[in-house]
Amino acid sequence: MALRFAGPIALVCALLTWLLNWGRNPIPFVGDMAGFGVLIFFFTIVIGFGVGAVGFVIGVRYRNWLVEPDLRRSWAWPVIPLALAYTLVMLLVVTIVLQFIDAAFKDLALSPLYAALVVGVVCGLVAYNVADHTMQITVRSVINIFAVILFAGIAFSAVNVNNPLWWEESFSFLGELKSTERNVFNVTLIISGVIFVILQQFFMDLFVRLEEGGLLSPFKTRLVRVSLIAIGVALTLVGLIPFGVNEFMNALHSMSAYTLIAILLAHMLLVRRLLPYFSREFYAMTWLMIGGLVLALALHFLGSINTVGIELIGFTVAGAWFMLFVDNVERLVDRTESNDGPIASFYDDNQRPV
């Protein structure tokens, strides 16, 4: 299926490059809108969004045909955000490659045949990659997209902001009105929040399977779903409500950020009550991470770590723990579905998880 996208798109993009540069030889890499490097950039936007949307719909509809009704997914509302997300990621990768080529090969220009060939190959690769990923999206791939967009957007804002000492205040400064990169920063948080809400749809498939296996109650399943949606909504609100406008907006912004932190911390504190089937090492690492957060917070109040430092530590630790949590849930599902015995087989003789 991915090749069905890649082949025709490669041919069309190569033909368009040749037609748009009719009568010109050689064709420059950059310099005008018809340069073959510039065309790759714009073609990537169209291919990423178009193939991403169509590929996602095809993948979801095929999957829904295979699975039970309670595991079927809706494609209507996630399709645009996910297609946009994959477009941004592919655009980021292509832009880095194009900038490297422009720096390494100054004044690069090729004959129409070779320029069209390069454009066709690159666009075919982009189409293949996007189709291959969007037609079989998993919770892991959505997490990767979420992480790339969030990191890239924040990093771009931090590097290009008008105040190089922004880190003496907080990450919220990047989204304030006086920040030149506020639009990039806030849009990044909004898109990341929407993607996280979409993420729960894929992650909850695992919890539904655990519920069907008798390892989770319906109440716990609903609680996890609501909490994950709340994290995404809180992250979106942090971007929608910029800091520094007025006291009321500042309070809403801070409340959204604190809600996000509180939910993640609650997951860490209550994970053993939620799923007492993981290894002892996982729970020990969870408490070690919580201890690290408490220590960092104490050092913050003592003036040893500034606001950006505590935000960075909190984000890193919580993000690492969430990745561990997802990994352990996936392993638990695999273990459950490959285990023919009762649920009690997850415990030793002293009723401790094994």
Side-chain angles (χ1 to χ4, degrees):
M1 288 296 294
L3 288 174
R4 293 181 186 180
F5 283 96
I9 286 176
L11 292 174
V12 170
C13 289
L15 181 60
L16 284 175
T17 302
W18 182 62
L19 291 175
L20 291 172
N21 287 277
W22 183 267
R24 183 160 70 161
N25 189 11
I27 301 174
F29 184 67
V30 293
D32 56 58
M33 298 298 289
F36 69 93
V38 178
L39 290 178
I40 289 175
F41 177 84
F42 287 113
F43 286 161
T44 297
I45 298 175
V46 177
I47 294 169
F49 190 82
V51 174
V54 175
F56 176 70
V57 173
I58 291 175
V60 171
R61 293 183 65 179
Y62 180 72
R63 179 187 177 280
N64 288 346
W65 179 64
L66 295 174
V67 300
E68 298 296 328
D70 57 345
L71 287 176
R72 290 173 184 170
R73 297 173 183 157
S74 169
W75 58 262
W77 76 269
V79 61
I80 299 300
L82 279 178
L84 179 60
Y86 271 94
T87 302
L88 292 174
V89 171
M90 291 306 304
L91 198 59
L92 175 64
V93 174
V94 169
T95 299
I96 292 173
V97 173
L98 292 178
Q99 288 181 340
F100 169 77
I101 294 174
D102 186 43
F105 303 91
K106 291 293 185 182
D107 301 322
L108 175 64
L110 297 175
S111 67
L113 175 62
Y114 291 126
L117 181 63
V118 169
V119 174
V121 169
V122 173
C123 291
L125 287 173
V126 170
Y128 181 88
N129 187 276
V130 173
D132 184 52
H133 283 83
T134 54
M135 283 191 292
Q136 47 184 351
I137 288 182
T138 63
V139 61
R140 185 74 57 176
S141 60
V142 180
I143 288 177
N144 292 338
I145 291 293
F146 168 82
V148 169
I149 290 179
L150 187 61
F151 175 79
I154 293 177
F156 181 87
S157 302
V159 170
N160 295 282
V161 70
N162 55 320
N163 182 6
L165 299 179
W166 66 269
W167 55 271
E168 294 182 347
E169 298 188 35
S170 72
F171 276 100
S172 293
F173 174 83
L174 298 175
E176 291 184 8
L177 292 178
K178 54 186 176 181
S179 168
T180 54
E181 300 302 322
R182 61 183 180 275
N183 291 331
V184 174
F185 181 78
N186 291 329
V187 169
T188 295
L189 295 184
I190 293 170
I191 294 176
S192 299
V194 172
I195 294 175
F196 199 92
V197 174
I198 294 172
L199 166 67
Q200 65 80 29
Q201 184 180 16
F202 295 86
F203 195 26
M204 288 311 299
D205 284 353
L206 302 175
F207 287 88
V208 170
R209 287 153 69 180
L210 290 175
E211 181 185 336
E212 291 176 345
L215 274 70
L216 268 180
S217 67
F219 172 75
K220 286 184 177 181
T221 304
R222 289 193 299 270
L223 186 63
V224 172
R225 186 187 299 276
V226 171
S227 65
L228 293 177
I229 293 175
I231 290 175
V233 171
L235 183 57
T236 302
L237 291 176
V238 172
L240 282 174
I241 306 171
F243 192 85
V245 178
N246 53 55
E247 292 300 324
F248 177 72
M249 297 286 280
N250 290 352
L252 289 178
H253 177 93
S254 298
M255 184 176 67
S256 300
Y258 292 145
T259 300
L260 171 64
I261 296 170
I263 296 173
L264 284 172
L265 184 59
H267 272 276
M268 297 175 72
L269 290 170
L270 301 175
V271 64
R272 185 153 194 163
R273 294 183 61 86
L274 175 69
L275 288 168
Y277 313 109
F278 299 148
S279 67
R280 298 182 184 92
E281 290 79 4
F282 172 79
Y283 299 118
M285 180 59 67
T286 297
W287 283 108
L288 181 63
M289 288 179 167
I290 293 173
L293 288 175
V294 172
L295 177 60
L297 191 60
L299 292 174
H300 171 64
F301 286 125
L302 292 174
S304 180
I305 301 177
N306 68 359
T307 302
V308 168
I310 194 66
E311 290 173 341
L312 191 59
I313 292 172
F315 173 78
T316 303
V317 172
W321 180 85
F322 188 77
M323 291 296 295
L324 285 174
F325 179 58
V326 172
D327 184 64
N328 276 268
V329 171
E330 289 179 328
R331 292 176 186 275
L332 178 61
V333 170
D334 291 339
R335 185 180 176 186
T336 303
E337 295 182 344
S338 64
N339 191 300
D340 296 326
I343 299 174
S345 62
F346 286 98
Y347 296 89
D348 61 19
D349 294 336
N350 297 318
Q351 292 300 301
R352 293 175 301 185
V354 296

